[in-house]
Amino acid sequence: MTIILNHTIVPTRDKAVAARLFARLFGLASEAGGHFATVRVNDQLTMLFDHRESFDSHHYAFHVSDAEFDAILGRVKDAGIAYGSQPGELDNGRLNDWGGGRGVYFTDPDGHLFELMTAPQ
């Protein structure tokens, strides 16, 4: 059997706001209501945004196509979010070429680190 990550819980200060931002950047739809604010990434993965008083930041990495990379990075830029080529340089405005593809990192207002890559690591 292939193991597939079905869902993950993303702790946030405001679950609805965080889900809407993630959905907008990634070109997806968010669903409010119920305990979680939900964003279905694809048929196999759902991000469940949940309100927490305190939490550690997390790292979420996504392997995307070149077209998805360009679209998401464009929305990140349009939103005025700083981005960079590695976790320690989140505001250098550059991409990396690790694994023969393109990669980039950015954070959301809750401090979560998002990574996009066009070649799996």
Side-chain angles (χ1 to χ4, degrees), residues 14-63:
D14 185 323
K15 64 186 181 184
V17 169
R20 280 193 306 268
L21 175 63
F22 177 84
R24 182 168 47 97
L25 293 177
F26 282 74
L28 304 168
S30 64
E31 301 172 19
H35 182 80
F36 299 108
T38 303
V39 178
R40 179 165 293 285
V41 176
N42 55 42
D43 290 339
Q44 299 171 331
L45 176 62
T46 302
M47 306 286 278
L48 303 174
F49 292 81
D50 192 20
H51 174 79
R52 302 278 170 87
E53 292 299 321
S54 64
F55 53 88
D56 294 326
S57 63
H58 297 278
H59 177 182
Y60 301 98
F62 296 91
H63 178 215

Side-chain angles (χ1 to χ4, degrees), residues 62-77:
F62 296 91
H63 178 215
V64 298
S65 70
D66 284 309
E68 290 165 327
F69 185 94
D70 292 337
I72 296 167
L73 182 57
R75 290 187 288 267
V76 166
K77 290 176 180 179

